[in-house]
Amino acid sequence: MLNLLKEEFNPKNKKVFAAMAALLALFVIILGVGIKITRVLGGVKYTTSLGNATSLLTIFMVIITCTRISGRDNLQKISENSINHSRLSIFAAKLCSIWLSYLILITINFVMVIIMKFMLFKKTDLDAAIFTKMFSAAGGNLVYEFLLVSFVLMVCSRIKDSLASIALGIAMIYITQVIAGIFMIVLYTNRALRWNPFNFFFVEREVVTPLTHMMTKLHVDQMIWGSLIYGLCFLIIAYILFETRKIASKNNAA
């Protein structure tokens, strides 16, 4: 298992991840400076929203997820590892690498926001209330990323080309929101539809802005538990698809 995990952090993946981490930090810096100059938002809003960088973080998570399960080189490696390791071990190693990457990125996001707060918004007190909102934003993003990553793993598990997988994965970020919005139109007349899986893709928004429950017709605790349950269901289906996937030879990866 440890060897499988090390393979997930090969030199190529490390370089891509380092670029993502640098871009995320740069985004937080540029946005902080821009807000300071234009005064569009205050220091409190910038800090409690984690520098509005979670959208970029979500795109990075989709890219990381898709590059772990698709691409000819990756599929060839899965085929080779399947000789000495179970598919469950391989899948678990990929999941561990995905979530370890997330923890590092969200930590970078969190720390950079605090640094920029002290550099640009010195008059804003970093009190318990602000920290609570920051951790709420991070927690909401964590639940959303679990739901989205599980969904992307399920949808993209059989795609051979990595670029196609990434394109579809990123599209899923917006497609799920659109479908959820369509469902919202009928939630007022059929309340049972509030339990449809797409409604839970608003979980991050609801954790940060509790009044969102007026749109989703679900309270925060229901959104969180529902997201975790649906995410687990997507993950199980993703593993079944991964387990039953036939990986061809080096010259014809499936």
Side-chain angles (χ1 to χ4, degrees):
M1 178 66 177
L2 185 58
N3 289 332
L4 290 173
L5 188 57
K6 288 180 179 178
E7 288 181 2
E8 295 300 322
F9 290 99
N10 56 56
K12 179 181 177 181
N13 286 343
K14 284 183 179 179
K15 290 180 181 179
V16 173
F17 180 76
M20 289 179 178
L23 286 173
L24 184 65
L26 184 62
F27 179 87
V28 174
I29 293 171
I30 292 176
L31 188 64
V33 173
I35 289 174
K36 179 66 175 181
I37 295 174
T38 61
R39 298 182 180 180
V40 175
L41 297 174
V44 173
K45 184 64 176 178
Y46 169 78
T47 306
T48 56
S49 66
L50 299 181
N52 290 309
T54 53
S55 295
L56 181 61
L57 176 56
T58 296
I59 293 175
F60 287 162
M61 284 302 297
V62 168
I63 294 174
I64 291 171
T65 301
C66 292
T67 53
R68 294 296 188 271
I69 60 172
S70 60
R72 293 187 180 276
D73 292 341
N74 194 27
L75 295 178
Q76 178 183 324
K77 198 64 181 177
I78 293 173
S79 178
E80 294 172 356
N81 288 334
S82 296
I83 299 174
N84 299 315
H85 302 276
S86 68
R87 285 288 180 89
L88 179 59
S89 297
I90 298 172
F91 189 75
K94 292 184 178 298
L95 279 181
C96 288
S97 69
I98 291 170
W99 288 111
L100 183 57
S101 299
Y102 172 78
L103 291 176
I104 295 173
L105 288 175
I106 194 67
T107 300
I108 292 173
N109 187 179
F110 205 93
V111 171
M112 287 303 302
V113 167
I114 293 177
I115 292 174
M116 295 306 295
K117 179 269 166 198
F118 282 113
M119 291 181 62
L120 301 175
F121 307 102
K122 298 179 181 179
K123 294 182 180 179
T124 301
D125 294 328
L126 198 60
D127 54 20
I130 291 180
F131 263 120
T132 298
K133 290 181 179 179
M134 290 177 70
F135 279 113
S136 294
N141 181 255
L142 173 61
V143 177
Y144 171 68
E145 299 296 349
F146 174 69
L147 179 65
L148 181 65
V149 164
S150 299
F151 187 74
V152 170
L153 280 171
M154 180 184 70
V155 172
C156 300
S157 61
R158 293 296 180 95
I159 298 179
K160 178 168 56 178
D161 184 74
S162 58
L163 292 179
S165 180
I166 291 171
L168 179 59
I170 293 176
M172 286 299 105
I173 299 174
Y174 307 101
I175 291 174
T176 52
Q177 301 283 322
V178 171
I179 295 175
I182 294 173
F183 269 109
M184 281 183 177
I185 299 174
V186 294
L187 289 185
Y188 291 93
T189 56
N190 192 336
R191 299 292 285 272
L193 287 176
R194 70 186 186 277
W195 299 106
N196 79 82
F198 296 101
N199 202 28
F200 293 89
F201 283 91
F202 284 112
V203 61
E204 180 180 11
R205 197 176 305 179
E206 180 144 336
V207 170
V208 176
T209 310
L211 288 178
T212 305
H213 76 82
M214 297 177 66
M215 296 188 302
T216 63
K217 303 303 178 183
L218 292 169
H219 293 288
V220 175
D221 56 341
Q222 294 174 320
M223 287 291 287
I224 292 174
W225 282 108
S227 298
L228 294 176
I229 292 172
Y230 271 120
L232 182 59
C233 291
F234 295 150
L235 194 59
I236 292 172
I237 297 173
Y239 169 68
I240 293 173
L241 293 173
F242 183 81
E243 173 68 33
T244 57
R245 181 177 189 173
K246 294 181 179 180
I247 307 296
S249 62
K250 293 182 180 180
N251 297 324
N252 188 30

